């Protein structure tokens, strides 16, 4: 008999809500929460042997530790499938499902399947790494999402031919395979068919879809005389935060940002600020955080009259591994705060 293991968060694991989001990973040799739905959909041919429960905050803030612990749970287990979620539109849950699915696949070579709503940041972060099914927005979609994952899993176990992502119901992974049409249609005929449909305004599907780039227009320059009166904000994707990382921003694949008061500071001091960024050597930035967030230079410009002042907060997150969707969301949120305070200029520093 084939075997499967399920991963769920603290809410679906019946531990609690947001107050239990720091719950450390545990493994149960029984069905808990959605694991029962998976077992029902799988039928008698596949047995769900264990349920893993982990708090969303714990996995988000202690990702490496969480993954290592869960892989330790699994090292002596025999299983053929690994399910995580469904995560619906819950961002932290989706990211956690993605992290553990990738780790399980890489470590044990077992097919891992999860499900998320298209607005979940985990989709863009992990869709190329595993099968991420297109799920509903809330737990109300559980009855639909679980069978979709299970039906596909059964196909894999049975060695059946898999259809394209759009037909199977998961987000495309960017993998292209040659398919022979039955009956065969020559390439020139297919091209002309698409061209005629396009000319007539009829719907058609290209054989080579190309993602659209999200291009942001360049902002207009601020005249020098206006800049001399304006407060300028500092924003960084270089991971500079107060020592201790009070907002628990992830060192990679960030989904959080923080803001820190510098209204009384002339510069950032090493030992008080440091970088949590996992994508570059932190030695230089830790020695002098102004190398990443140039507060010292901005104060000099302020004294020279080149700018009117430095905004009272600087904003920080981490860029490495962060998806375009998450970066865009965080950028919008930070921009909205700055606009509310009448800030018209910001300097974005990287690494």
């Amino acid at each position: 008999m084939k075997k499967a293991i399920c991963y769920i968060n603290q809410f679906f694991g019946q531990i609690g809500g947001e107050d239990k989001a720091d719950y450390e990973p545990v493994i149960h040799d029984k069905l808990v929460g959605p694991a029962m739905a998976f077992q029902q959909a799988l039928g008698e041919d596949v047995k769900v042997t264990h349920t893993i429960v982990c708090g969303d905050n714990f996995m988000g803030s202690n990702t490496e530790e969480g993954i290592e612990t869960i892989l330790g749970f699994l090292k002596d287990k025999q299983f053929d499938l690994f399910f995580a979620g469904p995560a619906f539109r819950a961002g932290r849950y989706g990211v956690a499902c993605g992290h553990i699915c990738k780790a399980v696949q890489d470590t044990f070579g077992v097919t891992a399947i999860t499900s998320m709503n298209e607005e979940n940041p985990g989709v863009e972060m992990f869709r190329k790494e595993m099968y991420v099914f297109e799920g509903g927005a809330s737990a109300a979609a559980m009855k639909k999402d679980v069978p979709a994952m299970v039906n596909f899993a059964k196909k894999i176990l049975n060695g059946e031919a898999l259809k394209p992502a759009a037909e199977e119901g998961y987000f495309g992974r960017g993998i292209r395979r040659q398919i022979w049409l039955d009956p065969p249609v020559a390439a020139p005929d297919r091209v002309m068919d698409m061209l005629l449909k396009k000319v007539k305004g009829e719907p058609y599907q290209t054989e080579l879809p190309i993602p659209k780039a999200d291009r942001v227009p360049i902002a207009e320059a601020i005249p020098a005389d206006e800049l001399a009166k304006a407060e300028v904000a500092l924003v960084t994707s270089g991971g500079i935060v107060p020592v201790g990382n009070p907002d628990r921003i992830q060192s990679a694949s960030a989904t959080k940002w923080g803001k820190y008061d510098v209204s009384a500071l002339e510069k950032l001091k090493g030992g008080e600020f440091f970088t949590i960024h996992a994508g570059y050597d932190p030695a230089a930035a830790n020695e002098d955080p102004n190398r990443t967030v140039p507060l010292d230079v901005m104060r000099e410009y302020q004294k020279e009259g080149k700018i009117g002042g430095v905004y009272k907060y600087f904003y920080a997150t981490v860029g490495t591994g962060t998806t375009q969707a998450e970066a865009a969301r965080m950028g919008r949120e930070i921009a909205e705060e700055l606009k509310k305070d009448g800030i018209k200029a910001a300097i974005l520093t990287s690494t």
Side-chain angles (χ1 to χ4, degrees):
M1 175 178 287
K2 300 294 185 180
K3 298 178 180 179
I5 292 177
C6 294
Y7 172 93
I8 54 179
N9 72 355
Q10 82 284 351
F11 178 80
F12 290 103
Q14 302 170 7
I15 303 300
E18 199 61 33
D19 58 320
K20 297 294 183 181
D22 290 311
Y23 189 78
E24 296 187 15
V26 296
I27 186 168
H28 301 285
D29 58 354
K30 62 180 180 179
L31 303 178
V32 179
M36 291 186 281
F38 278 104
Q39 184 62 79
Q40 183 177 5
L42 286 165
E44 298 180 355
D45 297 330
V46 182
K47 181 180 180 181
V48 179
T49 59
H50 295 82
T51 309
I52 296 171
V53 182
C54 180
D56 287 336
N57 278 356
F58 185 89
M59 183 61 82
S61 302
N62 308 276
T63 306
E64 294 182 4
E65 180 184 349
I67 290 174
E68 184 178 355
T69 300
I70 294 171
L71 294 182
F73 292 158
L74 299 176
K75 66 180 180 181
D76 62 347
K77 306 292 188 296
Q78 292 185 348
F79 59 106
D80 306 281
L81 292 169
F82 187 85
F83 294 108
F88 312 110
R89 197 176 284 173
R92 287 173 299 166
Y93 190 16
V95 172
C97 288
H99 276 304
I100 195 59
C101 281
K102 183 179 187 306
V104 168
Q105 284 192 160
D106 292 347
T107 304
F108 302 106
V110 171
T111 298
I113 302 174
T114 185
S115 172
M116 308 177 202
N117 183 262
E118 61 183 356
E119 295 186 20
N120 195 308
V123 173
E124 288 305 311
M125 291 174 67
F126 295 103
R127 64 188 296 174
K128 294 183 179 180
E129 307 287 348
M130 67 205 64
Y131 296 113
V132 180
F133 270 74
E134 300 181 25
S138 69
M142 182 82 73
K143 291 183 178 180
K144 174 181 69 69
D145 293 350
V146 168
M149 298 166 68
V150 166
N151 292 337
F152 185 73
K154 287 182 175 180
K155 281 188 173 185
I156 293 176
L157 290 180
N158 296 331
E160 297 179 29
L162 304 180
K163 298 177 181 178
E167 295 182 40
E168 294 288 3
Y170 63 88
F171 293 98
R173 298 186 297 162
I175 299 174
R176 304 188 189 281
R177 293 190 176 93
Q178 188 168 333
I179 298 176
W180 299 99
L181 299 179
D182 185 20
V185 180
D189 293 332
R190 301 199 305 275
V191 169
M192 289 306 300
D193 181 60
M194 284 190 285
L195 177 60
L196 290 173
K197 287 181 177 179
K198 183 174 182 178
V199 170
K200 295 177 182 179
E202 298 175 355
Y204 68 95
Q205 178 61 52
T206 176
E207 295 180 5
L208 188 63
I210 299 176
K212 293 183 178 180
D214 184 12
R215 299 190 179 278
V216 179
I218 298 173
E220 294 184 9
I222 298 176
D225 58 334
E226 292 185 22
L227 190 60
K229 302 174 184 177
E231 277 193 330
V232 179
L234 289 172
V235 184
T236 184
S237 61
I240 299 294
V241 298
V243 169
N245 189 15
D247 293 300
R248 304 173 80 175
I249 299 172
Q250 301 93 331
S251 60
S253 303
T255 59
K256 302 177 183 179
W257 52 268
K259 67 177 183 179
Y260 309 104
D261 192 340
V262 292
S263 58
L265 300 181
E266 288 295 310
K267 63 179 181 179
L268 302 182
K269 295 181 180 180
E272 296 180 5
F273 292 86
F274 77 138
T275 182
I276 56 167
H277 200 292
Y280 68 96
D281 186 337
N286 288 346
E287 180 184 38
D288 183 0
N290 299 278
R291 289 168 173 157
T292 304
V293 179
L295 179 61
D296 54 353
V297 174
M298 295 298 287
R299 290 299 187 200
E300 291 180 12
Y301 284 172
Q302 181 180 354
K303 293 172 184 176
E304 295 170 5
K306 293 180 179 178
I307 61 174
V310 180
Y311 184 59
K312 58 185 176 181
Y313 299 110
F314 83 86
Y315 292 79
T317 188
V318 167
T320 187
T322 300
T323 66
Q324 180 175 322
E326 279 297 282
R329 175 189 61 78
M330 290 189 284
R332 285 193 297 269
E333 291 172 354
I334 293 170
E336 286 171 4
E337 285 209 2
L338 293 175
K339 287 176 68 177
K340 285 180 181 178
D341 265 8
I343 302 301
K344 298 181 179 179
I347 293 177
L348 173 62
T349 57
S350 186
T351 57

